[in-house]
Amino acid sequence: QVQLVESGGDLVQPGRSLRLSCAASGFIFSNFQMAWYRQGPGKERELVAGIDGTCVLTNYANSVQGRFTISCDNDMHTVYLQMNNLKPEDTAKYYCYARGVGIYHSNVYWGQGTQVTVSS
């Protein structure tokens, strides 16, 4: 059974940091690209950052470039999102996402999300 379980969301003040985790199970981690998406109040879901299954290649939304870092631990099947210098506009529910590559390209999975609120 495939599972993506996010954790680490919290209420923090602007300028503070948070680290989100996504524990993945039920699929071969290295055959998937992983990503974090977010959906703020009244907004569409958007890509925040992505990483390949070897935990090497990354990409970021312009709005978080230089503040957020995505990483993963292939052995632990866990993806992280380190978020620094948080801003009120980062307030959103953050979702872990997995998409297969190659012959697994039709396999797409979402986690249930973890809430991040940035407010003074």
Side-chain angles (χ1 to χ4, degrees):
Q1 181 182 359
V2 172
Q3 280 192 310
L4 296 174
V5 180
E6 304 98 331
S7 61
D10 205 347
L11 167 63
V12 295
Q13 294 180 331
R16 308 287 279 190
S17 298
L18 273 179
R19 187 197 200 199
L20 305 183
S21 299
C22 170
S25 61
F27 59 93
I28 300 174
F29 197 76
S30 58
N31 288 333
F32 281 73
Q33 294 178 326
M34 306 294 295
W36 287 95
Y37 280 75
R38 68 184 180 186
Q39 187 165 17
K43 298 180 181 180
E44 293 188 353
R45 193 171 295 191
E46 62 175 356
L47 174 67
V48 177
I51 192 166
D52 73 324
T54 64
C55 302
V56 174
L57 300 176
T58 61
N59 61 285
Y60 296 93
N62 289 338
S63 58
V64 306
Q65 183 80 42
R67 298 189 298 122
F68 290 12
T69 302
I70 188 171
S71 62
C72 62
D73 184 329
N74 209 325
D75 291 336
M76 297 296 292
H77 296 183
T78 302
V79 183
Y80 305 98
L81 185 67
Q82 178 66 42
M83 306 185 294
N84 297 329
N85 190 22
L86 282 160
K87 303 177 180 180
E89 51 263 42
D90 295 318
T91 295
K93 195 164 189 177
Y94 285 70
Y95 297 88
C96 186
Y97 168 89
R99 180 174 186 133
V101 297
I103 61 173
Y104 305 101
H105 71 280
S106 62
N107 298 88
V108 176
Y109 307 114
W110 289 94
Q112 292 300 305
T114 185
Q115 180 67 38
V116 173
T117 302
V118 184
S119 175
S120 55

